[in-house]
Amino acid sequence: MENDIIFGMIGEKINEAKSIAILCHIRPDGDTLGSALALKNALKHKECFVYCDDAISQKFDFLKGFYDIRGGEIGSHDLIICVDCSDLGRLGSYSSAVKYHENTVNIDHHISNEEFAHINCVLGLSSTCEIIFNLIKFMGIEPDADVYKCIFCGLSTDTGNFSHSNTTHTAFAVASELVRLIGDISFITQRLYKDIPKSKLLLLGHALSNIKFYIGDKMAILTILLEDLERFGCASNDTEGFVDYAINIVSVEVGAILLECEKGRFKVSLRSKSADVCKIAAQFGGGGHTHASGCMLFGDYEEVVDKLVRNAEFYI
Ligand SMILES: [Mn+2]
């Protein structure tokens, strides 16, 4: 379907709605939060509530509306818009509310998106924020700097600050327009990429000193156990970005981080230079992008590592 047709349908749904819930995914990143808050800030005249069923990193508190993000029970809204969610599972406890709601929209850029909503806008752009930018423009809304800061946040974080392979010319074109209105963006990049709490730095040091190599150093695995989080006083979302240290090692083709969520349950994030890690993740019911994917693995630590390495061997 033509993008304009889908944007037109979404615009119509938004205009008809009296109260809108915008849902972020669990382990919220700059793209899901930026997308949700950009939309909320752009729809000033509408009653919009942003929800997220997970803890949110304080580093995003420069986004307007950050402190109004809700957790807990979802209220009664006549339209639900999910942003940056590839499947219902990404919505945490809100998945059933979305599944059974009669008016849902799904805006996402993950190729593995399961198109779970009534209207699905899945475009292979750099980020969901890039889609939101186009949607807002299409709707004829004149965004202000607050909206643009939110969009910049998602565009920048999902492209690895404009360095990953999804850093397309359209991503730069959008960024160019954003910077024109925002002005100095150095305060945003300081918050997103440079500021690091002492506790997180110590956790990273611990993880790096225990990194394991497999498949002739072509695979590197970082591990964060629950006891590590406790020892350093960190939350699970403090591990965001750690996996980059594994994939950046010269010999490594697939980098992974295993994050213990509870005894016998590990959240796995995978990164690759050229291998298709989406296929590895898919073997375990996960998904994502070619070079960045994730899945959940169950079992003892050794068992989980063994499963993962044996599977990865096929794709390296
Ligand atoms: Mn994204």
Side-chain angles (χ1 to χ4, degrees):
M1 218 187 294
E2 284 287 324
N3 297 356
D4 284 3
I5 297 174
I6 302 181
F7 284 162
M9 287 163 73
I10 295 173
E12 211 168 292
K13 286 288 180 193
I14 288 172
N15 290 333
E16 283 167 8
K18 289 198 168 54
S19 175
I20 303 171
I22 308 171
L23 271 49
C24 299
H25 60 70
I26 51 171
R27 297 203 79 206
D29 59 15
D31 194 27
T32 197
L33 295 168
S35 296
L37 292 172
L39 205 50
K40 177 189 159 74
N41 291 327
L43 303 173
K44 279 192 189 71
H45 55 291
K46 283 279 171 188
E47 198 176 277
C48 285
F49 300 93
V50 174
Y51 291 88
C52 183
D53 181 34
D54 210 343
I56 305 171
S57 167
Q58 207 62 30
K59 76 176 173 193
F60 298 113
D61 72 354
F62 67 92
L63 300 173
K64 190 185 173 197
F66 176 88
Y67 289 102
D68 298 325
I69 298 175
R70 300 174 169 201
E73 197 102 325
I74 189 166
S76 166
H77 306 281
D78 43 23
L79 175 65
I80 295 180
I81 303 175
C82 305
V83 286
D84 202 43
C85 301
S86 54
D87 58 81
L88 285 171
R90 296 288 282 148
L91 292 160
S93 69
Y94 300 134
S95 62
S96 58
V98 173
K99 193 174 175 185
Y100 298 112
H101 197 279
E102 71 286 349
N103 199 16
T104 57
V105 169
N106 161 23
I107 304 174
D108 187 31
H109 68 122
H110 296 92
I111 48 169
S112 61
N113 190 288
E114 290 180 2
E115 311 218 332
F116 53 83
H118 298 101
I119 297 176
N120 299 286
C121 177
V122 181
L123 304 175
L125 298 181
S126 66
S127 54
T128 300
C129 274
E130 190 178 339
I131 306 175
I132 297 291
F133 175 89
N134 291 324
L135 173 66
I136 288 170
K137 286 265 156 166
F138 178 88
M139 290 176 70
I141 295 167
E142 205 44 68
D144 58 19
D146 288 320
V147 173
Y148 273 11
K149 281 175 199 167
C150 294
I151 294 173
F152 186 86
C153 174
L155 195 62
S156 165
T157 52
D158 260 31
T159 57
N161 203 14
F162 304 98
S163 68
H164 295 337
S165 59
N166 62 343
T167 313
T168 56
H169 70 278
T170 62
F172 272 121
V174 170
S176 162
E177 200 169 327
L178 300 177
V179 174
R180 199 200 314 237
L181 197 68
I182 298 169
D184 184 1
I185 52 136
S186 64
F187 76 98
I188 302 179
T189 48
Q190 176 71 36
R191 291 303 304 278
L192 293 176
Y193 307 111
K194 297 172 187 175
D195 290 349
I196 182 166
K198 179 182 166 190
S199 56
K200 181 174 170 171
L201 185 85
L202 294 174
L203 178 69
L204 174 64
H206 175 77
L208 291 178
S209 64
N210 291 295
I211 193 167
K212 298 273 193 307
F213 293 92
Y214 303 90
I215 320 175
D217 289 352
K218 286 189 184 136
M219 184 172 191
I221 298 182
L222 289 166
T223 303
I224 303 284
L225 300 175
L226 283 169
E227 62 190 48
D228 301 328
L229 294 178
E230 198 177 334
R231 178 175 157 199
F232 294 102
C234 290
S236 60
N237 61 14
D238 284 326
T239 63
E240 202 198 306
F242 283 13
V243 71
D244 292 340
Y245 289 92
I247 190 58
N248 285 342
I249 298 164
V250 175
S251 64
V252 171
E253 180 49 50
V254 171
I257 183 162
L258 264 63
L259 175 66
E260 187 182 38
C261 303
E262 58 191 65
K263 279 283 165 236
R265 189 163 76 91
F266 294 86
K267 158 123 182 124
V268 182
S269 295
L270 296 162
R271 296 290 184 276
S272 76
K273 293 200 179 95
S274 57
D276 189 349
V277 285
C278 191
K279 286 188 179 148
I280 302 174
Q283 299 294 317
F284 303 109
H289 307 276
T290 309
H291 302 292
S293 288
C295 59
M296 297 298 290
L297 283 175
F298 302 86
D300 294 338
Y301 176 72
E302 283 76 18
E303 197 184 321
V304 161
V305 169
D306 189 55
K307 263 192 263 189
L308 189 61
V309 173
R310 273 193 290 131
N311 201 283
E313 246 166 337
F314 288 106
Y315 300 98
I316 291 178

